[in-house]
Amino acid sequence: MPWFVWLLAAGVLGVAEFFTLTLVFGLLAGAALVAAVVAGVGVGLLGQLVALGVAAAAGLLIVRPVALRMARTPLTREGSDALIGRRAEVMQEVTASHGLIKISGEEWSARALDESLVIPVGALVDVMEIEGATAVVYPRELLP
């Protein structure tokens, strides 16, 4: 019945991984599952511990660094989402309902984020969001 103990240990480690999300406990749970299989085949305690150690080392030394590297890759924004946060110049007065700005050499229809603002021609604005084909903008500097 040693395989049952390894399964129980794998379950406990799996729950710990669920709460910590570090990948360490998850890999150790996988190693415990390997030890459970080895125990189920009938290998002795020493063989079970060796299987646990080898599986844990392989997971922690090979799988975890690769998984962490993949998790760190930055998300890239594409299309109109890439314009969010960019600076633009007002080409035609921007109000709560209409206006025109120039972002990266392209003209976009625009409206002010704050409905009470009227942003004059030539002012610099930040693109806060994109709604369809309209950029929602906010002035970079205080308006008079």
Side-chain angles (χ1 to χ4, degrees):
M1 192 80 102
W3 61 269
F4 183 74
V5 174
W6 288 116
L7 282 180
L8 186 62
V12 169
L13 289 167
V15 169
E17 175 62 32
F18 178 77
F19 286 110
T20 62
L21 299 175
T22 60
L23 193 60
V24 173
F25 289 117
L27 293 171
L28 292 176
L33 286 175
V34 169
V37 169
V38 169
V41 171
V43 177
L45 181 61
L46 182 60
Q48 295 169 30
L49 292 175
V50 168
L52 175 75
V54 168
L60 294 174
L61 296 175
I62 298 170
V63 175
R64 187 167 189 266
V66 171
L68 289 176
R69 209 171 312 123
M70 288 173 34
R72 285 190 197 125
T73 57
L75 297 175
T76 57
R77 294 189 293 185
E78 297 177 347
S80 62
D81 286 340
L83 298 176
I84 296 173
R86 304 282 300 271
R87 182 187 326 180
E89 182 181 354
V90 176
M91 305 301 291
Q92 203 177 75
E93 186 177 77
V94 176
T95 65
S97 60
H98 69 280
L100 190 66
I101 61 171
K102 191 174 214 172
I103 311 170
S104 302
E106 295 181 353
E107 290 187 354
W108 277 72
S109 60
R111 71 172 184 80
L113 179 66
D114 183 349
E115 295 180 4
S116 65
L117 289 179
V118 175
I119 307 170
V121 173
L124 294 178
V125 293
D126 287 322
V127 177
M128 306 306 283
E129 60 184 287
I130 301 291
E131 291 180 351
T134 302
V136 179
V137 298
Y138 194 79
R140 292 186 68 93
E141 298 175 4
L142 292 176
L143 298 174

PDB file of all heavy atoms in Angstrom, residues 48-89:
ATOM      1  N   GLN A  48      11.845   3.686  -4.787  1.00  0.00           N
ATOM      2  CA  GLN A  48      10.815   4.734  -4.801  1.00  0.00           C
ATOM      3  C   GLN A  48      11.437   6.100  -4.517  1.00  0.00           C
ATOM      4  O   GLN A  48      11.109   7.094  -5.181  1.00  0.00           O
ATOM      5  CB  GLN A  48       9.738   4.426  -3.770  1.00  0.00           C
ATOM      6  CG  GLN A  48       8.943   3.173  -4.050  1.00  0.00           C
ATOM      7  CD  GLN A  48       8.086   2.769  -2.875  1.00  0.00           C
ATOM      8  OE1 GLN A  48       7.647   3.603  -2.103  1.00  0.00           O
ATOM      9  NE2 GLN A  48       7.849   1.466  -2.744  1.00  0.00           N
ATOM     10  N   LEU A  49      12.335   6.137  -3.536  1.00  0.00           N
ATOM     11  CA  LEU A  49      12.991   7.399  -3.190  1.00  0.00           C
ATOM     12  C   LEU A  49      13.905   7.874  -4.323  1.00  0.00           C
ATOM     13  O   LEU A  49      13.983   9.076  -4.599  1.00  0.00           O
ATOM     14  CB  LEU A  49      13.765   7.250  -1.884  1.00  0.00           C
ATOM     15  CG  LEU A  49      12.904   7.056  -0.632  1.00  0.00           C
ATOM     16  CD1 LEU A  49      13.783   6.789   0.586  1.00  0.00           C
ATOM     17  CD2 LEU A  49      12.007   8.257  -0.395  1.00  0.00           C
ATOM     18  N   VAL A  50      14.580   6.941  -4.982  1.00  0.00           N
ATOM     19  CA  VAL A  50      15.424   7.312  -6.125  1.00  0.00           C
ATOM     20  C   VAL A  50      14.556   7.865  -7.250  1.00  0.00           C
ATOM     21  O   VAL A  50      14.884   8.894  -7.869  1.00  0.00           O
ATOM     22  CB  VAL A  50      16.261   6.101  -6.602  1.00  0.00           C
ATOM     23  CG1 VAL A  50      16.908   6.389  -7.952  1.00  0.00           C
ATOM     24  CG2 VAL A  50      17.317   5.748  -5.569  1.00  0.00           C
ATOM     25  N   ALA A  51      13.425   7.202  -7.532  1.00  0.00           N
ATOM     26  CA  ALA A  51      12.517   7.690  -8.576  1.00  0.00           C
ATOM     27  C   ALA A  51      11.982   9.069  -8.219  1.00  0.00           C
ATOM     28  O   ALA A  51      11.905   9.955  -9.090  1.00  0.00           O
ATOM     29  CB  ALA A  51      11.362   6.699  -8.762  1.00  0.00           C
ATOM     30  N   LEU A  52      11.632   9.269  -6.960  1.00  0.00           N
ATOM     31  CA  LEU A  52      11.158  10.581  -6.506  1.00  0.00           C
ATOM     32  C   LEU A  52      12.242  11.634  -6.715  1.00  0.00           C
ATOM     33  O   LEU A  52      11.979  12.716  -7.249  1.00  0.00           O
ATOM     34  CB  LEU A  52      10.752  10.522  -5.030  1.00  0.00           C
ATOM     35  CG  LEU A  52      10.348  11.855  -4.398  1.00  0.00           C
ATOM     36  CD1 LEU A  52       8.968  12.251  -4.888  1.00  0.00           C
ATOM     37  CD2 LEU A  52      10.386  11.778  -2.888  1.00  0.00           C
ATOM     38  N   GLY A  53      13.474  11.324  -6.317  1.00  0.00           N
ATOM     39  CA  GLY A  53      14.575  12.274  -6.448  1.00  0.00           C
ATOM     40  C   GLY A  53      14.892  12.618  -7.889  1.00  0.00           C
ATOM     41  O   GLY A  53      15.096  13.782  -8.236  1.00  0.00           O
ATOM     42  N   VAL A  54      14.927  11.594  -8.743  1.00  0.00           N
ATOM     43  CA  VAL A  54      15.239  11.830 -10.154  1.00  0.00           C
ATOM     44  C   VAL A  54      14.141  12.655 -10.823  1.00  0.00           C
ATOM     45  O   VAL A  54      14.419  13.616 -11.558  1.00  0.00           O
ATOM     46  CB  VAL A  54      15.457  10.487 -10.893  1.00  0.00           C
ATOM     47  CG1 VAL A  54      15.501  10.688 -12.393  1.00  0.00           C
ATOM     48  CG2 VAL A  54      16.725   9.809 -10.399  1.00  0.00           C
ATOM     49  N   ALA A  55      12.888  12.300 -10.560  1.00  0.00           N
ATOM     50  CA  ALA A  55      11.773  13.045 -11.164  1.00  0.00           C
ATOM     51  C   ALA A  55      11.723  14.478 -10.652  1.00  0.00           C
ATOM     52  O   ALA A  55      11.486  15.419 -11.415  1.00  0.00           O
ATOM     53  CB  ALA A  55      10.451  12.330 -10.888  1.00  0.00           C
ATOM     54  N   ALA A  56      11.951  14.668  -9.351  1.00  0.00           N
ATOM     55  CA  ALA A  56      11.937  16.023  -8.783  1.00  0.00           C
ATOM     56  C   ALA A  56      13.087  16.850  -9.345  1.00  0.00           C
ATOM     57  O   ALA A  56      12.906  18.022  -9.714  1.00  0.00           O
ATOM     58  CB  ALA A  56      12.018  15.956  -7.262  1.00  0.00           C
ATOM     59  N   ALA A  57      14.284  16.256  -9.432  1.00  0.00           N
ATOM     60  CA  ALA A  57      15.436  16.984  -9.968  1.00  0.00           C
ATOM     61  C   ALA A  57      15.213  17.350 -11.431  1.00  0.00           C
ATOM     62  O   ALA A  57      15.507  18.473 -11.855  1.00  0.00           O
ATOM     63  CB  ALA A  57      16.701  16.135  -9.816  1.00  0.00           C
ATOM     64  N   ALA A  58      14.687  16.403 -12.204  1.00  0.00           N
ATOM     65  CA  ALA A  58      14.421  16.691 -13.622  1.00  0.00           C
ATOM     66  C   ALA A  58      13.408  17.825 -13.754  1.00  0.00           C
ATOM     67  O   ALA A  58      13.578  18.735 -14.578  1.00  0.00           O
ATOM     68  CB  ALA A  58      13.906  15.447 -14.326  1.00  0.00           C
ATOM     69  N   GLY A  59      12.378  17.786 -12.947  1.00  0.00           N
ATOM     70  CA  GLY A  59      11.361  18.836 -13.014  1.00  0.00           C
ATOM     71  C   GLY A  59      11.901  20.192 -12.614  1.00  0.00           C
ATOM     72  O   GLY A  59      11.680  21.198 -13.290  1.00  0.00           O
ATOM     73  N   LEU A  60      12.635  20.219 -11.491  1.00  0.00           N
ATOM     74  CA  LEU A  60      13.120  21.498 -10.978  1.00  0.00           C
ATOM     75  C   LEU A  60      14.284  22.065 -11.778  1.00  0.00           C
ATOM     76  O   LEU A  60      14.438  23.281 -11.871  1.00  0.00           O
ATOM     77  CB  LEU A  60      13.508  21.348  -9.506  1.00  0.00           C
ATOM     78  CG  LEU A  60      12.343  21.050  -8.556  1.00  0.00           C
ATOM     79  CD1 LEU A  60      12.858  20.774  -7.151  1.00  0.00           C
ATOM     80  CD2 LEU A  60      11.340  22.190  -8.542  1.00  0.00           C
ATOM     81  N   LEU A  61      15.093  21.197 -12.367  1.00  0.00           N
ATOM     82  CA  LEU A  61      16.259  21.677 -13.101  1.00  0.00           C
ATOM     83  C   LEU A  61      16.011  21.876 -14.592  1.00  0.00           C
ATOM     84  O   LEU A  61      16.713  22.650 -15.240  1.00  0.00           O
ATOM     85  CB  LEU A  61      17.435  20.716 -12.905  1.00  0.00           C
ATOM     86  CG  LEU A  61      17.953  20.600 -11.469  1.00  0.00           C
ATOM     87  CD1 LEU A  61      19.041  19.537 -11.384  1.00  0.00           C
ATOM     88  CD2 LEU A  61      18.470  21.938 -10.968  1.00  0.00           C
ATOM     89  N   ILE A  62      15.027  21.176 -15.149  1.00  0.00           N
ATOM     90  CA  ILE A  62      14.780  21.273 -16.590  1.00  0.00           C
ATOM     91  C   ILE A  62      13.460  21.964 -16.889  1.00  0.00           C
ATOM     92  O   ILE A  62      13.408  22.964 -17.607  1.00  0.00           O
ATOM     93  CB  ILE A  62      14.807  19.872 -17.245  1.00  0.00           C
ATOM     94  CG1 ILE A  62      16.193  19.250 -17.078  1.00  0.00           C
ATOM     95  CG2 ILE A  62      14.430  19.958 -18.712  1.00  0.00           C
ATOM     96  CD1 ILE A  62      16.269  17.793 -17.473  1.00  0.00           C
ATOM     97  N   VAL A  63      12.373  21.470 -16.327  1.00  0.00           N
ATOM     98  CA  VAL A  63      11.038  21.970 -16.677  1.00  0.00           C
ATOM     99  C   VAL A  63      10.775  23.363 -16.102  1.00  0.00           C
ATOM    100  O   VAL A  63      10.302  24.247 -16.811  1.00  0.00           O
ATOM    101  CB  VAL A  63       9.952  20.977 -16.194  1.00  0.00           C
ATOM    102  CG1 VAL A  63       8.574  21.542 -16.438  1.00  0.00           C
ATOM    103  CG2 VAL A  63      10.119  19.639 -16.878  1.00  0.00           C
ATOM    104  N   ARG A  64      11.105  23.591 -14.837  1.00  0.00           N
ATOM    105  CA  ARG A  64      10.777  24.872 -14.200  1.00  0.00           C
ATOM    106  C   ARG A  64      11.458  26.065 -14.877  1.00  0.00           C
ATOM    107  O   ARG A  64      10.804  27.071 -15.164  1.00  0.00           O
ATOM    108  CB  ARG A  64      11.114  24.831 -12.717  1.00  0.00           C
ATOM    109  CG  ARG A  64      10.631  26.077 -11.985  1.00  0.00           C
ATOM    110  CD  ARG A  64      10.693  25.889 -10.473  1.00  0.00           C
ATOM    111  NE  ARG A  64      10.029  26.989  -9.803  1.00  0.00           N
ATOM    112  CZ  ARG A  64      10.662  28.060  -9.360  1.00  0.00           C
ATOM    113  NH1 ARG A  64      11.966  28.170  -9.495  1.00  0.00           N
ATOM    114  NH2 ARG A  64       9.987  29.032  -8.771  1.00  0.00           N
ATOM    115  N   PRO A  65      12.770  26.020 -15.151  1.00  0.00           N
ATOM    116  CA  PRO A  65      13.376  27.176 -15.828  1.00  0.00           C
ATOM    117  C   PRO A  65      12.751  27.469 -17.189  1.00  0.00           C
ATOM    118  O   PRO A  65      12.567  28.633 -17.555  1.00  0.00           O
ATOM    119  CB  PRO A  65      14.855  26.785 -15.970  1.00  0.00           C
ATOM    120  CG  PRO A  65      15.089  25.774 -14.906  1.00  0.00           C
ATOM    121  CD  PRO A  65      13.797  25.037 -14.759  1.00  0.00           C
ATOM    122  N   VAL A  66      12.426  26.437 -17.937  1.00  0.00           N
ATOM    123  CA  VAL A  66      11.799  26.643 -19.248  1.00  0.00           C
ATOM    124  C   VAL A  66      10.423  27.275 -19.080  1.00  0.00           C
ATOM    125  O   VAL A  66      10.062  28.221 -19.795  1.00  0.00           O
ATOM    126  CB  VAL A  66      11.708  25.303 -20.018  1.00  0.00           C
ATOM    127  CG1 VAL A  66      10.871  25.458 -21.271  1.00  0.00           C
ATOM    128  CG2 VAL A  66      13.096  24.792 -20.347  1.00  0.00           C
ATOM    129  N   ALA A  67       9.646  26.776 -18.131  1.00  0.00           N
ATOM    130  CA  ALA A  67       8.304  27.321 -17.893  1.00  0.00           C
ATOM    131  C   ALA A  67       8.377  28.768 -17.415  1.00  0.00           C
ATOM    132  O   ALA A  67       7.569  29.601 -17.834  1.00  0.00           O
ATOM    133  CB  ALA A  67       7.568  26.464 -16.881  1.00  0.00           C
ATOM    134  N   LEU A  68       9.312  29.090 -16.553  1.00  0.00           N
ATOM    135  CA  LEU A  68       9.450  30.472 -16.081  1.00  0.00           C
ATOM    136  C   LEU A  68       9.883  31.400 -17.207  1.00  0.00           C
ATOM    137  O   LEU A  68       9.421  32.537 -17.284  1.00  0.00           O
ATOM    138  CB  LEU A  68      10.448  30.538 -14.922  1.00  0.00           C
ATOM    139  CG  LEU A  68       9.980  29.926 -13.605  1.00  0.00           C
ATOM    140  CD1 LEU A  68      11.094  29.981 -12.572  1.00  0.00           C
ATOM    141  CD2 LEU A  68       8.739  30.629 -13.097  1.00  0.00           C
ATOM    142  N   ARG A  69      10.754  30.935 -18.085  1.00  0.00           N
ATOM    143  CA  ARG A  69      11.180  31.745 -19.218  1.00  0.00           C
ATOM    144  C   ARG A  69      10.003  32.035 -20.137  1.00  0.00           C
ATOM    145  O   ARG A  69       9.839  33.138 -20.656  1.00  0.00           O
ATOM    146  CB  ARG A  69      12.290  31.025 -19.981  1.00  0.00           C
ATOM    147  CG  ARG A  69      13.233  31.950 -20.675  1.00  0.00           C
ATOM    148  CD  ARG A  69      14.463  31.254 -21.257  1.00  0.00           C
ATOM    149  NE  ARG A  69      15.110  30.356 -20.332  1.00  0.00           N
ATOM    150  CZ  ARG A  69      15.327  29.061 -20.578  1.00  0.00           C
ATOM    151  NH1 ARG A  69      14.976  28.528 -21.717  1.00  0.00           N
ATOM    152  NH2 ARG A  69      15.928  28.296 -19.697  1.00  0.00           N
ATOM    153  N   MET A  70       9.171  31.023 -20.354  1.00  0.00           N
ATOM    154  CA  MET A  70       7.997  31.213 -21.207  1.00  0.00           C
ATOM    155  C   MET A  70       7.003  32.171 -20.566  1.00  0.00           C
ATOM    156  O   MET A  70       6.352  32.954 -21.255  1.00  0.00           O
ATOM    157  CB  MET A  70       7.330  29.872 -21.487  1.00  0.00           C
ATOM    158  CG  MET A  70       8.125  29.016 -22.440  1.00  0.00           C
ATOM    159  SD  MET A  70       7.521  27.341 -22.682  1.00  0.00           S
ATOM    160  CE  MET A  70       5.785  27.468 -22.578  1.00  0.00           C
ATOM    161  N   ALA A  71       6.871  32.147 -19.253  1.00  0.00           N
ATOM    162  CA  ALA A  71       5.920  33.013 -18.558  1.00  0.00           C
ATOM    163  C   ALA A  71       6.373  34.464 -18.567  1.00  0.00           C
ATOM    164  O   ALA A  71       5.552  35.374 -18.456  1.00  0.00           O
ATOM    165  CB  ALA A  71       5.722  32.538 -17.124  1.00  0.00           C
ATOM    166  N   ARG A  72       7.670  34.709 -18.694  1.00  0.00           N
ATOM    167  CA  ARG A  72       8.189  36.076 -18.661  1.00  0.00           C
ATOM    168  C   ARG A  72       8.136  36.790 -19.995  1.00  0.00           C
ATOM    169  O   ARG A  72       8.408  37.973 -20.065  1.00  0.00           O
ATOM    170  CB  ARG A  72       9.631  36.071 -18.168  1.00  0.00           C
ATOM    171  CG  ARG A  72       9.755  35.837 -16.694  1.00  0.00           C
ATOM    172  CD  ARG A  72      11.175  36.082 -16.232  1.00  0.00           C
ATOM    173  NE  ARG A  72      11.345  35.468 -14.930  1.00  0.00           N
ATOM    174  CZ  ARG A  72      12.270  34.587 -14.628  1.00  0.00           C
ATOM    175  NH1 ARG A  72      13.145  34.223 -15.525  1.00  0.00           N
ATOM    176  NH2 ARG A  72      12.348  34.073 -13.430  1.00  0.00           N
ATOM    177  N   THR A  73       7.825  36.091 -21.066  1.00  0.00           N
ATOM    178  CA  THR A  73       7.799  36.759 -22.363  1.00  0.00           C
ATOM    179  C   THR A  73       6.697  37.812 -22.348  1.00  0.00           C
ATOM    180  O   THR A  73       5.571  37.536 -21.955  1.00  0.00           O
ATOM    181  CB  THR A  73       7.557  35.757 -23.510  1.00  0.00           C
ATOM    182  OG1 THR A  73       6.350  35.056 -23.264  1.00  0.00           O
ATOM    183  CG2 THR A  73       8.709  34.794 -23.642  1.00  0.00           C
ATOM    184  N   PRO A  74       7.018  39.031 -22.743  1.00  0.00           N
ATOM    185  CA  PRO A  74       6.032  40.105 -22.677  1.00  0.00           C
ATOM    186  C   PRO A  74       4.904  39.900 -23.685  1.00  0.00           C
ATOM    187  O   PRO A  74       5.116  39.370 -24.770  1.00  0.00           O
ATOM    188  CB  PRO A  74       6.839  41.359 -23.027  1.00  0.00           C
ATOM    189  CG  PRO A  74       7.996  40.848 -23.814  1.00  0.00           C
ATOM    190  CD  PRO A  74       8.285  39.464 -23.297  1.00  0.00           C
ATOM    191  N   LEU A  75       3.747  40.328 -23.289  1.00  0.00           N
ATOM    192  CA  LEU A  75       2.608  40.288 -24.192  1.00  0.00           C
ATOM    193  C   LEU A  75       2.743  41.439 -25.179  1.00  0.00           C
ATOM    194  O   LEU A  75       3.047  42.563 -24.800  1.00  0.00           O
ATOM    195  CB  LEU A  75       1.304  40.435 -23.417  1.00  0.00           C
ATOM    196  CG  LEU A  75       0.999  39.331 -22.418  1.00  0.00           C
ATOM    197  CD1 LEU A  75      -0.265  39.667 -21.639  1.00  0.00           C
ATOM    198  CD2 LEU A  75       0.831  38.008 -23.131  1.00  0.00           C
ATOM    199  N   THR A  76       2.554  41.162 -26.427  1.00  0.00           N
ATOM    200  CA  THR A  76       2.640  42.211 -27.432  1.00  0.00           C
ATOM    201  C   THR A  76       1.238  42.611 -27.845  1.00  0.00           C
ATOM    202  O   THR A  76       0.366  41.776 -28.017  1.00  0.00           O
ATOM    203  CB  THR A  76       3.418  41.738 -28.672  1.00  0.00           C
ATOM    204  OG1 THR A  76       2.792  40.569 -29.186  1.00  0.00           O
ATOM    205  CG2 THR A  76       4.863  41.433 -28.329  1.00  0.00           C
ATOM    206  N   ARG A  77       1.050  43.903 -27.937  1.00  0.00           N
ATOM    207  CA  ARG A  77      -0.237  44.413 -28.404  1.00  0.00           C
ATOM    208  C   ARG A  77      -0.140  44.647 -29.895  1.00  0.00           C
ATOM    209  O   ARG A  77       0.863  45.159 -30.383  1.00  0.00           O
ATOM    210  CB  ARG A  77      -0.591  45.699 -27.666  1.00  0.00           C
ATOM    211  CG  ARG A  77      -0.844  45.467 -26.187  1.00  0.00           C
ATOM    212  CD  ARG A  77      -1.387  46.681 -25.528  1.00  0.00           C
ATOM    213  NE  ARG A  77      -0.376  47.745 -25.517  1.00  0.00           N
ATOM    214  CZ  ARG A  77      -0.534  48.890 -24.925  1.00  0.00           C
ATOM    215  NH1 ARG A  77      -1.662  49.170 -24.312  1.00  0.00           N
ATOM    216  NH2 ARG A  77       0.401  49.801 -24.939  1.00  0.00           N
ATOM    217  N   GLU A  78      -1.181  44.279 -30.591  1.00  0.00           N
ATOM    218  CA  GLU A  78      -1.188  44.415 -32.039  1.00  0.00           C
ATOM    219  C   GLU A  78      -2.387  45.228 -32.473  1.00  0.00           C
ATOM    220  O   GLU A  78      -3.347  45.396 -31.739  1.00  0.00           O
ATOM    221  CB  GLU A  78      -1.234  43.035 -32.689  1.00  0.00           C
ATOM    222  CG  GLU A  78      -0.017  42.181 -32.383  1.00  0.00           C
ATOM    223  CD  GLU A  78      -0.126  40.791 -32.973  1.00  0.00           C
ATOM    224  OE1 GLU A  78      -1.230  40.408 -33.397  1.00  0.00           O
ATOM    225  OE2 GLU A  78       0.895  40.101 -33.014  1.00  0.00           O
ATOM    226  N   GLY A  79      -2.324  45.706 -33.708  1.00  0.00           N
ATOM    227  CA  GLY A  79      -3.446  46.446 -34.273  1.00  0.00           C
ATOM    228  C   GLY A  79      -3.700  47.742 -33.525  1.00  0.00           C
ATOM    229  O   GLY A  79      -2.784  48.417 -33.067  1.00  0.00           O
ATOM    230  N   SER A  80      -4.956  48.073 -33.379  1.00  0.00           N
ATOM    231  CA  SER A  80      -5.307  49.332 -32.734  1.00  0.00           C
ATOM    232  C   SER A  80      -4.974  49.325 -31.241  1.00  0.00           C
ATOM    233  O   SER A  80      -4.743  50.381 -30.661  1.00  0.00           O
ATOM    234  CB  SER A  80      -6.796  49.642 -32.947  1.00  0.00           C
ATOM    235  OG  SER A  80      -7.586  48.635 -32.358  1.00  0.00           O
ATOM    236  N   ASP A  81      -4.899  48.151 -30.618  1.00  0.00           N
ATOM    237  CA  ASP A  81      -4.520  48.090 -29.201  1.00  0.00           C
ATOM    238  C   ASP A  81      -3.106  48.606 -28.971  1.00  0.00           C
ATOM    239  O   ASP A  81      -2.777  49.080 -27.890  1.00  0.00           O
ATOM    240  CB  ASP A  81      -4.619  46.655 -28.676  1.00  0.00           C
ATOM    241  CG  ASP A  81      -6.054  46.211 -28.469  1.00  0.00           C
ATOM    242  OD1 ASP A  81      -6.927  47.094 -28.366  1.00  0.00           O
ATOM    243  OD2 ASP A  81      -6.299  44.999 -28.406  1.00  0.00           O
ATOM    244  N   ALA A  82      -2.246  48.522 -29.978  1.00  0.00           N
ATOM    245  CA  ALA A  82      -0.875  49.004 -29.845  1.00  0.00           C
ATOM    246  C   ALA A  82      -0.830  50.529 -29.729  1.00  0.00           C
ATOM    247  O   ALA A  82       0.185  51.089 -29.313  1.00  0.00           O
ATOM    248  CB  ALA A  82      -0.043  48.548 -31.030  1.00  0.00           C
ATOM    249  N   LEU A  83      -1.902  51.210 -30.083  1.00  0.00           N
ATOM    250  CA  LEU A  83      -1.934  52.679 -30.015  1.00  0.00           C
ATOM    251  C   LEU A  83      -2.230  53.191 -28.611  1.00  0.00           C
ATOM    252  O   LEU A  83      -1.979  54.364 -28.312  1.00  0.00           O
ATOM    253  CB  LEU A  83      -2.978  53.214 -30.989  1.00  0.00           C
ATOM    254  CG  LEU A  83      -2.733  52.892 -32.462  1.00  0.00           C
ATOM    255  CD1 LEU A  83      -3.890  53.390 -33.308  1.00  0.00           C
ATOM    256  CD2 LEU A  83      -1.417  53.477 -32.933  1.00  0.00           C
ATOM    257  N   ILE A  84      -2.769  52.341 -27.760  1.00  0.00           N
ATOM    258  CA  ILE A  84      -3.110  52.769 -26.396  1.00  0.00           C
ATOM    259  C   ILE A  84      -1.830  53.162 -25.663  1.00  0.00           C
ATOM    260  O   ILE A  84      -0.847  52.441 -25.659  1.00  0.00           O
ATOM    261  CB  ILE A  84      -3.870  51.659 -25.655  1.00  0.00           C
ATOM    262  CG1 ILE A  84      -5.193  51.401 -26.356  1.00  0.00           C
ATOM    263  CG2 ILE A  84      -4.095  52.030 -24.196  1.00  0.00           C
ATOM    264  CD1 ILE A  84      -5.964  50.219 -25.837  1.00  0.00           C
ATOM    265  N   GLY A  85      -1.864  54.354 -25.060  1.00  0.00           N
ATOM    266  CA  GLY A  85      -0.711  54.875 -24.348  1.00  0.00           C
ATOM    267  C   GLY A  85       0.209  55.732 -25.202  1.00  0.00           C
ATOM    268  O   GLY A  85       1.138  56.338 -24.692  1.00  0.00           O
ATOM    269  N   ARG A  86      -0.044  55.802 -26.501  1.00  0.00           N
ATOM    270  CA  ARG A  86       0.787  56.592 -27.396  1.00  0.00           C
ATOM    271  C   ARG A  86       0.416  58.070 -27.320  1.00  0.00           C
ATOM    272  O   ARG A  86      -0.684  58.434 -26.945  1.00  0.00           O
ATOM    273  CB  ARG A  86       0.620  56.116 -28.842  1.00  0.00           C
ATOM    274  CG  ARG A  86       0.902  54.641 -29.090  1.00  0.00           C
ATOM    275  CD  ARG A  86       2.374  54.281 -29.155  1.00  0.00           C
ATOM    276  NE  ARG A  86       3.136  54.934 -30.174  1.00  0.00           N
ATOM    277  CZ  ARG A  86       3.293  54.486 -31.416  1.00  0.00           C
ATOM    278  NH1 ARG A  86       2.700  53.390 -31.797  1.00  0.00           N
ATOM    279  NH2 ARG A  86       4.032  55.154 -32.269  1.00  0.00           N
ATOM    280  N   ARG A  87       1.344  58.902 -27.740  1.00  0.00           N
ATOM    281  CA  ARG A  87       1.114  60.342 -27.789  1.00  0.00           C
ATOM    282  C   ARG A  87       0.593  60.692 -29.173  1.00  0.00           C
ATOM    283  O   ARG A  87       0.999  60.099 -30.170  1.00  0.00           O
ATOM    284  CB  ARG A  87       2.408  61.085 -27.536  1.00  0.00           C
ATOM    285  CG  ARG A  87       2.209  62.596 -27.532  1.00  0.00           C
ATOM    286  CD  ARG A  87       3.481  63.370 -27.463  1.00  0.00           C
ATOM    287  NE  ARG A  87       4.514  62.723 -26.680  1.00  0.00           N
ATOM    288  CZ  ARG A  87       5.715  63.237 -26.495  1.00  0.00           C
ATOM    289  NH1 ARG A  87       6.034  64.380 -27.035  1.00  0.00           N
ATOM    290  NH2 ARG A  87       6.612  62.603 -25.782  1.00  0.00           N
ATOM    291  N   ALA A  88      -0.310  61.663 -29.235  1.00  0.00           N
ATOM    292  CA  ALA A  88      -0.867  62.105 -30.506  1.00  0.00           C
ATOM    293  C   ALA A  88      -0.992  63.625 -30.493  1.00  0.00           C
ATOM    294  O   ALA A  88      -0.968  64.254 -29.438  1.00  0.00           O
ATOM    295  CB  ALA A  88      -2.231  61.462 -30.732  1.00  0.00           C
ATOM    296  N   GLU A  89      -1.154  64.184 -31.694  1.00  0.00           N
ATOM    297  CA  GLU A  89      -1.342  65.631 -31.828  1.00  0.00           C
ATOM    298  C   GLU A  89      -2.744  65.895 -32.362  1.00  0.00           C
ATOM    299  O   GLU A  89      -3.207  65.220 -33.279  1.00  0.00           O
ATOM    300  CB  GLU A  89      -0.305  66.201 -32.795  1.00  0.00           C
ATOM    301  CG  GLU A  89      -0.414  67.704 -32.950  1.00  0.00           C
ATOM    302  CD  GLU A  89       0.609  68.256 -33.945  1.00  0.00           C
ATOM    303  OE1 GLU A  89       1.463  67.491 -34.430  1.00  0.00           O
ATOM    304  OE2 GLU A  89       0.516  69.458 -34.236  1.00  0.00           O
TER     305      GLU A  89
END
